[in-house]
Amino acid sequence: MFPKADVHPIIFEEICVKEDINDPEKVEDKLLRLERTYSRDDKYKGVHLIVLCHGFQGNSWDMRRFKDNIAYLYPESLFLCSSANEDFTEGHIEEMGARLASEVVAYIKEWVPGKNLGRLSFIGHSLGGVIIRTCLPHLEEYKDKMHLLMTCSSPHLGYMYHSSKLIDAGMWFLKKW
């Protein structure tokens, strides 16, 4: 029924439309406008750099499948699978953001000389999404090139409301000790 994944990647896209669902013409019109807005045919000059950032205790290879599927759709783009924080994912978020920003700037200077950068996009998984958010203020000089920020399963609101039996047991032990 479906072609093999290496021939045709499958990408799931979810669009939420706040319209009256009882009027299908309104919803269809809204979806058509969204499709035109986000179409791939819009023109820009320069190179599109897509930066991928892994999650907690991850490495640059963790994002390889994302890169492969996106490269199939956008073969003209450049990709940076971040490795700056591979050994430091248990450190401070601000430091990891600064390291990612340094890596992005160095990559742009080496691979996209002059003013050839057309777009700059970021894709992060888990903690990588939070690292990317802390990286953005360090990339102020590229703010007019920013195109996309996509995060998958990133804890943007923190981890405060999740209960862990291991943490609870450790806290109980520390209180009793």
Side-chain angles (χ1 to χ4, degrees):
M1 184 164 143
F2 291 107
K4 292 200 282 187
D6 59 341
V7 176
H8 181 68
I10 298 173
I11 297 177
F12 297 97
E13 180 180 357
E14 182 178 346
I15 298 176
C16 299
V17 180
K18 186 178 179 181
E19 294 287 337
D20 183 12
I21 60 172
N22 295 324
D23 188 358
E25 289 179 11
K26 273 187 171 180
V27 174
E28 187 175 338
D29 183 52
K30 179 75 169 183
L31 288 173
L32 286 173
R33 280 186 281 140
L34 278 171
E35 187 176 315
R36 280 193 299 267
T37 303
Y38 294 109
S39 72
R40 293 185 346 185
D41 297 328
D42 51 344
K43 303 294 182 216
Y44 63 94
K45 293 185 181 194
V47 176
H48 187 176
L49 174 61
I50 301 173
V51 180
L52 298 110
C53 187
H54 58 81
F56 183 66
Q57 294 183 342
N59 61 41
S60 60
W61 286 94
D62 293 347
M63 300 301 287
R64 189 68 55 191
R65 276 290 179 213
F66 277 106
K67 178 201 164 288
D68 292 344
N69 285 311
I70 296 168
Y72 182 77
L73 294 172
Y74 300 97
E76 70 283 351
S77 297
L78 280 180
F79 293 88
L80 167 60
C81 292
S82 174
S83 60
N85 292 307
E86 286 183 356
D87 299 326
F88 306 104
T89 59
E90 296 179 16
H92 294 283
I93 300 288
E94 294 86 9
E95 293 173 6
M96 289 187 277
R99 275 193 293 272
L100 177 61
S102 298
E103 183 180 23
V104 169
V105 169
Y107 190 88
I108 290 172
K109 286 183 179 174
E110 183 176 347
W111 292 98
V112 189
K115 298 186 183 261
N116 291 332
L117 183 65
R119 288 181 172 171
L120 182 58
S121 297
F122 293 90
I123 300 173
H125 173 256
S126 187
L127 183 62
V130 179
I131 294 170
I132 290 171
R133 279 188 36 211
T134 59
C135 155
L136 294 177
H138 299 281
L139 298 172
E140 186 77 22
E141 62 189 290
Y142 301 108
K143 69 180 178 183
D144 59 327
K145 306 293 184 182
M146 300 289 180
H147 178 66
L148 169 77
L149 169 62
M150 183 174 90
T151 63
C152 305
S153 302
S154 294
H156 293 291
L157 298 177
Y159 196 62
M160 187 166 109
Y161 297 108
H162 188 274
S163 178
S164 167
K165 292 181 182 179
L166 182 63
I167 300 296
D168 292 343
M171 293 304 291
W172 176 83
F173 178 75
L174 287 173
K175 288 178 184 176
K176 296 294 182 184
W177 189 31

